[in-house]
Amino acid sequence: MALVGPVVCLAGGVGGSRLAHGLAQVLPPGQLTVVVNTADDFRHYGLQVCPDLDTVMYNLAGLADPQRGWGLRDDSGNMLEALQRLGGDGWFQLGDKDLATQVLRTHWLARGMRLTEVTARLAAALGVKQALLPMCDEPVATMVQTREEGELDFQTWFVRRRWRPAVRSLCLAGLGRARMTAEVSDALAGAALVLLAPSNPWLSILPILAVPGLREALRQASAPVAAVTPVIRGAALKGPAARLMADFGLAPGAGTVARLYGDILDAFVYDERDAVPPLTGLRLLGVDTVMVNEDARARLARDILDWIATWRTPHVPEREKP
Ligand code: FO1
């Protein structure tokens, strides 16, 4: 496979973590940085839970539950069972081993460590060799304005209410105090490619792009920016991407995703089952984007990297120039 140089992947959720894992299978560890959405983080029974960070971390470590895509494989639910017996709420399924991640993260944050440092320590302990970075260190929270139930915090809408209440709008609380970290800035400055993973645009990618300074850093970086569609034939494989398009009155399609990211995009990867999206000014690649197993993750990563490697104009030595 042709190498393109350091790759920065912006990701969140199950789809994003699958592509991150595919990239990790085909790139040398030092060539991949994954910048992860933290706007779905929340406080639960006093613990700081970072679902997207953990989903990517467990996938990179090869420890994720293969069916759900989130949480740890072979985890047990003793704590949750005991909690419910005592009258607690069990709507958010934190497994026993997963709980250890939350306890240690909360402990280290309380001692004054940055989320970036905490994440690096947890990831290293699980054997993750790639750089895993939260989008910022400050708390930012997706708030969901629903038509029927008013404002809900993200996990209440997503997990507890199973994304049923129709969405009027989304906003990011705390964004004004957030700053791009030096680690994210350095990764973007040194990147040969920035890849927006097939994650939910509104719930994972746009919150990362909204971190003050980050869009500007992308515009200034010399790396091309490519996005991979999470939508095929107007439907999302998992999660509420198509539902949100309908709620916002947008055409349900891959082209809508590309247009959401706007002028930072140079290239877009759509699924080969779809018609070519009507997008001008972007390089387009149609491939199989469905990651049914670990091999399919690596295959998609390889397809994208091979395609990007072909963009380079071949170097013609001076003496051979006409
Ligand atoms: N998603 C669910 O649909 N139900 C759950 O009970 C649930 C628990 C959970 C625990 C730890 C974790 O890291 C993720 C978990 N998720 C659960 C997934 C998570 O809510 C979403 O994938 C993201 O927040 C959206 O990207």
Side-chain angles (χ1 to χ4, degrees):
M1 193 199 66
L3 290 177
V4 294
V7 175
V8 175
C9 177
L10 311 190
V14 173
S17 61
R18 286 184 175 147
L19 182 62
H21 183 231
L23 290 164
Q25 289 180 66
V26 302
L27 288 168
Q31 298 273 57
L32 177 61
T33 300
V34 189
V35 177
V36 182
N37 169 50
T38 56
D40 67 337
D41 293 8
F42 74 130
R43 207 81 187 165
H44 191 54
Y45 287 115
L47 297 171
Q48 188 61 26
V49 185
C50 301
D52 276 3
L53 266 180
D54 288 348
T55 301
V56 177
M57 179 169 75
Y58 294 154
N59 272 282
L60 289 179
L63 297 171
D65 181 282
Q67 266 75 47
R68 298 178 309 194
W70 49 265
L72 284 159
R73 70 166 78 223
D74 304 323
D75 209 348
S76 44
N78 294 321
M79 181 284 293
L80 210 64
E81 207 183 297
L83 184 102
Q84 285 175 294
R85 197 181 311 129
L86 293 167
D89 254 327
W91 61 271
F92 195 76
Q93 293 175 43
L94 270 179
D96 295 334
K97 294 180 198 167
D98 197 4
L99 188 63
T101 306
Q102 319 312 321
V103 169
L104 210 47
R105 175 188 291 122
T106 308
H107 174 69
W108 282 337
L109 287 172
R111 289 179 58 180
M113 277 171 72
R114 298 159 58 218
L115 183 59
T116 300
E117 297 169 64
V118 170
T119 305
R121 280 176 87 161
L122 292 171
L126 294 180
V128 174
K129 301 274 185 289
Q130 297 75 16
L132 180 63
L133 301 175
M135 67 185 201
C136 58
D137 286 322
E138 301 78 8
V140 172
T142 295
M143 301 303 295
V144 187
Q145 316 296 327
T146 68
R147 293 190 188 278
E148 304 92 353
E149 298 177 28
E151 184 176 83
L152 300 176
D153 67 83
F154 175 72
Q155 294 297 344
T156 298
W157 175 76
F158 189 87
V159 175
R160 192 168 202 171
R161 301 288 298 112
R162 296 173 193 275
W163 41 278
R164 280 196 196 112
V167 177
R168 198 186 293 278
S169 61
L170 298 163
C171 76
L172 293 167
L175 194 63
R177 285 183 297 280
R179 293 287 167 270
M180 181 171 58
T181 63
E183 289 83 354
V184 172
S185 170
D186 289 350
L188 292 176
L193 168 70
V194 177
L195 205 49
L196 313 188
S199 307
N200 186 302
W202 289 279
L203 308 181
S204 292
I205 304 294
L206 291 173
I208 304 176
L209 295 176
V211 172
L214 207 141
R215 254 183 201 267
E216 199 43 43
L218 275 181
R219 283 199 191 93
Q220 278 170 13
S222 53
V225 180
V228 185
T229 186
V231 170
I232 303 173
R233 289 186 169 166
L237 287 176
K238 200 170 171 23
R243 229 314 285 291
L244 287 174
M245 284 180 185
D247 284 356
F248 296 152
L250 299 169
T256 298
V257 176
R259 280 185 283 270
L260 277 174
Y261 297 143
D263 63 356
I264 54 161
L265 270 199
D266 298 293
F268 187 67
V269 180
Y270 64 95
D271 192 89
E272 62 189 12
R273 295 162 188 81
D274 244 335
V276 182
L279 297 163
T280 49
L282 292 182
R283 293 178 191 257
L284 297 174
L285 173 71
V287 285
D288 184 359
T289 63
V290 182
M291 294 173 277
V292 287
N293 54 33
E294 296 199 352
D295 287 349
R297 298 175 186 187
R299 182 195 24 75
L300 176 58
R302 212 175 288 117
D303 284 348
I304 295 169
L305 297 178
D306 285 347
W307 175 56
I308 281 150
T310 65
W311 298 358
R312 287 196 180 144
T313 40
H315 176 70
V316 182
E318 205 58 44
R319 64 179 180 281
E320 286 174 30
K321 281 186 182 159

